[in-house]
Amino acid sequence: MENKRYNVHLPPLRDNASTYSYLGKICEAILSAPHNSYIFDFSGCSTISHNGLVVIGGICNYLKQQNSSRSLLSPSVLSFLSPPKVGFNIDNINPVLMEKLLLIGFWNYVQPAYGVVASNDYIGYREHEKVIEDSEIISHLKDSWLTSEKLHMSESLKAEIVSSIYEIFVNAYGHGLKDNEFGQSVISCGSYDAKAKELSLSVFDLGGGIVESVRNHDNQIASDRDAFEWALEFGNSTRTDSTPDLPRGLGFGILKDFVHLNGGRLRICSDSYSATVDDNGEYLIESIGGRFQGTLVSISVKCDNNYYKFKSESPDESTPNYF
């Protein structure tokens, strides 16, 4: 099969519907032809959001892992015989964006020659090659990401939200690391925009989409869209990875409610579908242009001056920031 080289001219990638559509399209185009080589050109890209970074990084990781897994040659011989599967054109990159990619740790994983962040406690881009210890990821979420300086909430509510976000990682590990033949990683990227006062986190895996998993679990489900909707219902699950063998769902219940109350955003993309939380706190499901060969979960919350807690923690019903 002939190996062709393509330039991927990245546009500005923001946390909006058009970006998710674009990301779905390039996922479908590139992952359907992984034998080719791809150069990501940043000359027309003024900004990249956390969700854009995890998808671009996930594609790069997939191509590198697949190429090395399929070859019986050593990496040095392989690179001599064929061009790298992934490259970057940063000749005309926006200096602010270049600095952001450095500080957020993106280059640590995709191209260390461009600079690395030595610290392990930064909020930013990470590639998880194996399931890490529960305490490690929970500590990172509590102590580096969801700190009291950024968002004010009771310890009980914070524990529930951290637990729900942790479950997103667990699900990503389940179908992103356990069942993939090329050993690709689960990708995450957390960020804090001090100017906009917004805290964000995206988790992405390429271990197969929600629709395929659900329809393999229950072949009586009529359509792909029905399968996607089924997975979003609280308590539904196709997996029993926990020990003991306890089923678990996608774990979005508390996050969905909190995002609605906070005025933030929650989006789940998988296969050809996207779900967002609308103004009524319900899922709005739409088709996207393209297809994710996996699952992307993205959450952003506003770091306002409100104090959030469960209604059961206080008898004061007049305060609006309760669950």
Side-chain angles (χ1 to χ4, degrees):
M1 187 178 294
E2 183 182 0
N3 186 325
K4 296 182 179 180
R5 182 176 178 177
Y6 291 95
N7 290 318
V8 182
H9 295 275
L10 296 173
L13 298 175
R14 300 180 173 88
D15 189 1
N16 55 34
S18 61
T19 287
Y20 285 98
S21 178
Y22 173 81
L23 294 174
K25 289 176 182 177
I26 65 168
C27 267
E28 184 173 35
I30 294 177
L31 300 185
S32 64
H35 54 280
N36 293 320
S37 299
Y38 299 90
I39 306 296
F40 290 92
D41 189 330
F42 287 84
S43 58
C45 182
S46 57
T47 186
I48 304 182
S49 60
H50 51 99
N51 33 61
L53 283 175
V54 294
V55 174
I56 299 301
I59 291 173
C60 293
N61 178 265
Y62 180 92
L63 294 172
K64 292 176 182 177
Q65 295 295 336
Q66 186 187 70
N67 191 50
S68 60
S69 298
R70 282 183 168 175
S71 176
L72 298 178
L73 303 175
S74 68
S76 58
V77 175
L78 182 64
S79 62
F80 175 77
L81 294 176
S82 61
K85 302 291 287 184
V86 178
F88 304 92
N89 181 356
I90 60 168
D91 291 345
N92 297 306
I93 190 172
N94 183 306
V96 175
L97 176 58
M98 185 67 181
E99 181 72 5
K100 173 184 176 180
L101 296 180
L102 171 62
L103 295 178
I104 209 167
F106 183 72
W107 298 130
N108 283 32
Y109 295 91
V110 301
Q111 184 49 273
Y114 296 158
V116 298
V117 178
S119 171
N120 291 322
D121 59 359
Y122 65 91
I123 301 174
Y125 181 92
R126 283 180 169 81
E127 294 182 1
H128 310 281
E129 297 179 357
K130 58 186 178 63
V131 179
I132 57 181
E133 292 293 330
D134 293 359
S135 58
E136 182 180 342
I137 192 167
I138 290 173
S139 295
H140 178 71
L141 291 171
K142 289 173 58 179
D143 302 333
S144 299
W145 189 70
L146 192 63
T147 62
S148 57
E149 292 81 11
K150 301 184 187 80
L151 194 62
H152 309 297
M153 61 177 60
S154 69
E155 287 300 316
S156 297
L157 178 57
K158 180 176 179 178
E160 287 293 328
I161 291 178
V162 167
S163 176
S164 296
I165 295 174
Y166 168 70
E167 191 167 350
I168 293 173
F169 278 89
V170 171
N171 277 285
Y173 290 138
H175 52 73
L177 293 181
K178 182 179 178 181
D179 298 332
N180 72 80
E181 61 178 307
F182 301 122
Q184 67 266 18
S185 303
V186 166
I187 315 295
S188 70
C189 186
S191 65
Y192 175 62
D193 187 331
K195 184 177 180 180
K197 291 188 176 181
E198 188 169 84
L199 189 61
S200 302
L201 178 69
S202 288
V203 180
F204 182 55
D205 72 80
L206 285 167
I210 289 174
V211 168
E212 179 184 3
S213 178
V214 170
R215 300 199 78 173
N216 287 339
H217 173 74
D218 185 353
N219 58 18
Q220 299 300 311
I221 294 179
S223 68
D224 287 354
R225 184 186 179 95
D226 289 341
F228 185 72
E229 291 181 353
W230 183 93
L232 296 174
E233 294 178 13
F234 182 76
N236 284 349
S237 175
T238 64
R239 307 201 62 89
T240 55
D241 294 343
S242 51
T243 303
D245 196 33
L246 299 173
R248 48 180 169 71
L250 290 175
F252 297 135
I254 189 71
L255 292 179
K256 177 169 165 283
D257 293 342
F258 180 73
V259 164
H260 178 230
L261 178 66
N262 173 263
R265 297 182 301 281
L266 173 65
R267 187 184 295 264
I268 305 102
C269 294
S270 189
D271 299 282
S272 299
Y273 299 97
S274 169
T276 56
V277 179
D278 63 18
D279 292 340
N280 296 317
E282 302 298 329
Y283 284 121
L284 173 65
I285 298 176
E286 300 173 297
S287 298
I288 58 175
R291 177 179 177 270
F292 288 93
Q293 190 174 306
T295 302
L296 168 64
V297 179
S298 181
I299 178 174
S300 294
V301 295
K302 295 181 178 180
C303 299
D304 51 30
N305 293 321
N306 292 324
Y307 181 75
Y308 297 93
K309 58 184 176 181
F310 289 109
K311 187 178 294 185
S312 59
E313 295 182 77
S314 171
D316 183 5
E317 299 283 345
S318 63
T319 305
N321 307 311
Y322 289 101
F323 283 81

